[in-house]
């Protein structure tokens, strides 16, 4: 592992600020100099971010204050690997003297206004702030408590704080601290103004950054679903309760703990650890990872006030396809600039070459590539939309044109750089076709359109365009694990809940799980546990109960496919959300004595005890609360049995091994109470895009299948 070599600042290679690309011209003006066209009086200045039509205005989430002192999490390896070498390839221009950057709020370009107007606005803001402070301070004094207020740049909502929990350590039985854990009102350092391009990473560095991004995203998703689940508990309260935005809550807590990535360098080009095709549900998650630093604006750029030569530089754009003048053909995009739009995203005035518009033009001038993230509505997304990273593009030309609404707009032609992996948005479109018309999208290669023979809720495809091996069709498909008869005799006179319409907090089954259900209302796993007790045959709740998630079977359309790298593999045609149930790992359960006999016969056996406790990673809040303790109850003894899959098996048996998997094994009980023989249920550890291979950590080499492990990325 090498040492960190300081990267040269791309700002030092930016040319003089006086030159504007000759390609930017106003067709409404007579042919004259570029500078004259830019000063055309028809261009009315209007500074505003380019809001994507799919994005709602940020509704600040309720936050609370975690008053127990917590160390500020700061790990210098969070953003930069100590072995990474940052190579900067600047444009061959004359270096200039760096300008002193001026502070901006929330990393946004400050809106230019007269000093009088600005002072009036801030004066009114501070006046109202003082009124709030005084009002709540008086309320605290009446209750015998003091009021404490700090500055916050993400949320200004106020929620009650339970003083009884002030000094209690955070653990799985005290999750309401997550909802009440407030982002302290403090000032955060803005993103670095140093532009760098990360290249020549070693294989270890690539794996390091990938794991770092995965861990951060897993933590973000865990906080988000836990915050929403806690919020659901208060919806029936008589006291008015403001709904929690889990995505904003997660981002705020991660930022407070210093866990936002890529803040100490402004990266140009690919972000280490982020792969083309990665999917995101929320804009704030893009900010947390550092892929796109603007919470609402469609153009992310280094502002002129931070740039060494006073010129803005664009680093990424979000293409939503919702603007009337945008044209998106995949490898080429005609991207419309920002400004001049009303609240309905209709062009109502001319745009001006400033802020993000100027930043894109300057990126074209200096040959700096930009990251492109496409956002669009998508069925199955928790937010109703997805954002997919589609790789790097170059701005090859830009011009001023009359838009469809009759107003002047700036247009930019972006061309995708060659030799990159296939775009994630293209894969999403292919998967959508495969779900409904598989033979039209792939005329050759399908061996079976339902390997389960209609046993699963949805068909399981079998695809092989590599060789003539059709082995999976010769096994009988096993829908659920077969246990020995004596397993069901354990606790035969079982009891269940009396919830007629569905389980509620505090019912019998919730108590069996330690007082809280393992799933939120939509069936997403809140946190991993040693074992989860789902409602069983003795419960009176319906099959739609929130505590019957895994026993309802497969809900995503899975495909077993032949791979040159892993032999057989499994992928989904649907987008699988982090924490969602995938399928059960089925087989015929054997005792230790039976397993020894079957091993001598050469049968294929799977040993559940070899699966690592990956369930403990899902919902692990150690980086947020240092005194967090992983769930220990309900507890189960070591799994001392094997599963025979030599004749009966299901789709899970073809999932490949990976030391960095995207799925975990969660023990679940529902049809019996013998904790020594749980069902092995698979849940997603991250958002798994369509057609991306699903992987498990088998703990050791996959001896019984003889296939190679999936290539870790």
């Amino acid at each position: 592992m090498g040492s960190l070599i300081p990267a040269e600042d791309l700002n030092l290679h930016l040319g003089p600020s006086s030159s504007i690309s000759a390609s930017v011209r106003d067709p409404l003006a007579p042919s004259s100099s570029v500078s004259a066209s830019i000063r055309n009086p028809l261009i009315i200045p209007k500074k505003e971010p380019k809001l994507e039509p799919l994005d709602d205005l940020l509704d600040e989430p309720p936050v609370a204050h975690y008053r127990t002192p917590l160390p500020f999490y700061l790990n210098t390896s969070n953003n930069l690997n100590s072995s990474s070498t940052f190579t900067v390839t600047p444009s061959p221009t004359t270096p200039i003297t760096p300008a002193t950057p001026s502070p901006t709020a929330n990393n946004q370009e400050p809106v230019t206004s007269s000093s009088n107007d600005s002072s009036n606005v801030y004066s009114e803001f501070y006046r109202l702030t003082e009124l709030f402070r005084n009002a709540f301070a008086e309320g605290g004094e009446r209750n015998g408590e003091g009021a404490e207020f700090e500055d916050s740049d993400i949320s200004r909502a106020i929620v009650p704080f339970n003083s009884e929990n002030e000094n209690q350590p955070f653990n799985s039985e005290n999750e309401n601290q997550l909802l009440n854990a407030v982002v302290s009102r403090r000032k955060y350092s803005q993103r670095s103004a140093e532009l760098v391009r990360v290249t020549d990473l070693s294989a270890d560095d690539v794996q390091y950054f990938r794991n770092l991004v995965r861990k951060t995203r897993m933590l973000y998703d865990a906080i988000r679903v836990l915050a929403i689940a806690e919020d659901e508990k208060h919806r029936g309260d008589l006291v008015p309760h403001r709904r929690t935005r889990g995505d904003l809550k997660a981002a705020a807590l991660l930022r407070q703990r210093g866990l936002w990535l890529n803040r100490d360098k402004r990266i140009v080009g690919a972000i280490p650890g982020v792969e083309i095709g990665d999917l995101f549900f929320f804009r704030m998650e893009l900010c947390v990872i550092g892929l796109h630093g603007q919470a609402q604006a469609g153009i992310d750029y280094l502002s002129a006030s931070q740039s060494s030569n006073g010129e803005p530089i664009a680093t990424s754009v979000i293409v939503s396809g919702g603007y009337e003048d945008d044209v998106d053909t995949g490898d080429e995009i005609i991207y419309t600039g920002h400004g001049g739009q009303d609240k309905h995203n209709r062009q109502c005035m001319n745009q001006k070459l400033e802020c993000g518009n100027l930043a894109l033009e300057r990126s074209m001038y200096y040959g700096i590539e930009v990251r492109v993230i496409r956002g669009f509505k998508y069925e199955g997304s928790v937010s109703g939309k997805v954002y997919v990273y589609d790789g790097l593009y170059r701005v090859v030309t830009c011009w001023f044109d009359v838009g469809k609404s009759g107003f002047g707009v700036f247009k930019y032609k972006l061309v995708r750089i060659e030799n990159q992996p296939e775009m994630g948005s293209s894969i999403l479109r292919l998967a959508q076709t495969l779900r409904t018309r598989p033979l039209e999208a792939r005329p050759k290669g399908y061996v079976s359109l339902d390997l389960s023979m209609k046993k699963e809720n949805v068909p399981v495809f079998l695809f092989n365009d590599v060789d003539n091996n059709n082995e999976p069709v010769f096994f009988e498909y096993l829908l659920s694990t077969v246990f020995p008869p004596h397993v069901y005799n354990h606790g035969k006179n079982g009891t269940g809940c009396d919830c007629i319409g569905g389980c509620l907090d505090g019912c019998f089954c919730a108590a069996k799980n330690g007082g809280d259900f393992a799933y939120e209302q939509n069936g997403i796993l809140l946190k991993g546990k040693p074992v989860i007790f789902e409602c069983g045959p003795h419960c009176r709740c319906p099959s739609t109960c929130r505590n019957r998630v895994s026993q309802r079977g497969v809900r995503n359309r899975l495909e077993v496919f032949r791979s040159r790298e892993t032999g057989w593999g499994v992928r989904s045609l649907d987008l699988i959300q982090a924490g969602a149930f995938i399928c059960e790992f089925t087989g015929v359960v054997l005792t230790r004595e039976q397993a020894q006999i079957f091993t001598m016969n050469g049968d294929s056996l799977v040993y559940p005890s070899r699966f690592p406790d990956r369930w403990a990673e899902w919902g692990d809040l150690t980086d947020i609360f240092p005194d967090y303790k992983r769930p220990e109850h309900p507890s189960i003894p070591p799994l001392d049995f094997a599963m025979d899959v030599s004749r009966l098996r299901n789709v899970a048996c073809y999932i490949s091994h990976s030391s960095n998997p995207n799925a975990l094994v969660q023990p679940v009980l529902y049809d019996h109470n013998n904790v020594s023989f749980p069902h092995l249920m698979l849940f997603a550890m991250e958002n798994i895009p369509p057609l991306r291979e699903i992987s498990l950590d088998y703990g050791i080499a996959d001896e019984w299948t003889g296939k190679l492990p999936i290539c870790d990325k």
Side-chain angles (χ1 to χ4, degrees), residues 23-51:
S23 60
V24 183
R25 297 184 181 274
D26 185 356
L28 302 178
S31 57
S32 57
S33 66
V34 175
S35 60
S37 65
I38 298 303
R39 295 192 298 269
N40 192 302
L42 292 178
I43 305 178
I44 302 174
K46 185 169 189 267
K47 291 190 177 183
E48 61 182 27
K50 179 179 179 181
L51 298 182

Side-chain angles (χ1 to χ4, degrees), residues 156-219:
R156 292 180 173 84
I158 300 174
V159 298
F161 174 78
N162 186 357
S163 60
E164 296 179 358
N165 295 332
E166 181 172 353
N167 296 317
Q168 294 181 8
F170 187 94
N171 53 56
S172 59
E173 272 60 27
N174 194 23
E175 285 180 359
N176 61 342
Q177 291 187 28
L178 180 64
L179 185 63
N180 293 331
V182 169
V183 181
S184 299
R185 296 185 169 229
R186 53 171 297 169
K187 292 183 178 180
Y188 297 97
S189 59
Q190 59 184 356
R191 284 190 296 167
S192 171
E194 182 181 0
L195 292 174
V196 299
R197 183 180 290 109
V198 183
T199 60
D200 303 327
L201 292 177
S202 66
D204 290 338
D205 287 332
V206 172
Q207 188 62 56
Y208 166 83
F209 283 114
R210 185 59 176 169
N211 291 340
L212 178 61
V213 169
R214 280 176 164 174
K215 180 180 179 181
T216 303
R217 296 188 64 186
M218 190 187 309
L219 183 58

Side-chain angles (χ1 to χ4, degrees), residues 200-327:
D200 303 327
L201 292 177
S202 66
D204 290 338
D205 287 332
V206 172
Q207 188 62 56
Y208 166 83
F209 283 114
R210 185 59 176 169
N211 291 340
L212 178 61
V213 169
R214 280 176 164 174
K215 180 180 179 181
T216 303
R217 296 188 64 186
M218 190 187 309
L219 183 58
Y220 176 89
D221 283 320
I223 297 173
R224 181 183 60 80
V225 297
L226 282 172
I228 294 175
E230 287 300 319
D231 183 68
E232 290 174 349
K233 296 180 180 180
H234 299 279
R235 291 186 183 179
D237 296 347
L238 297 178
V239 179
H241 178 72
R242 187 180 180 186
R243 186 173 181 178
T244 299
R245 281 282 300 270
D247 57 321
L248 301 185
K249 180 71 175 180
L253 284 175
L254 288 175
R255 187 175 189 182
Q256 184 190 29
R257 299 303 189 267
L259 296 176
W260 282 30
L261 304 182
N262 303 308
R263 300 285 294 178
D264 54 354
K265 292 287 189 297
R266 189 74 66 98
I267 297 179
V268 171
I271 298 293
V274 179
E275 296 179 353
I276 293 177
D278 281 352
L279 289 176
F280 307 85
F281 292 136
F282 301 96
R283 289 285 293 268
M284 289 307 300
E285 190 176 5
L286 301 176
C287 297
V288 170
I289 299 302
L291 188 62
H292 186 82
Q294 301 287 344
Q296 289 181 277
I299 305 174
D300 187 18
Y301 61 97
L302 178 70
S303 64
S305 62
Q306 290 183 292
S307 178
S308 300
N309 67 341
E311 295 182 347
I313 298 296
T315 56
S316 63
V317 298
I318 291 183
V319 181
S320 66
Y323 287 82
E324 59 183 10
D325 293 303
D326 285 352
V327 179

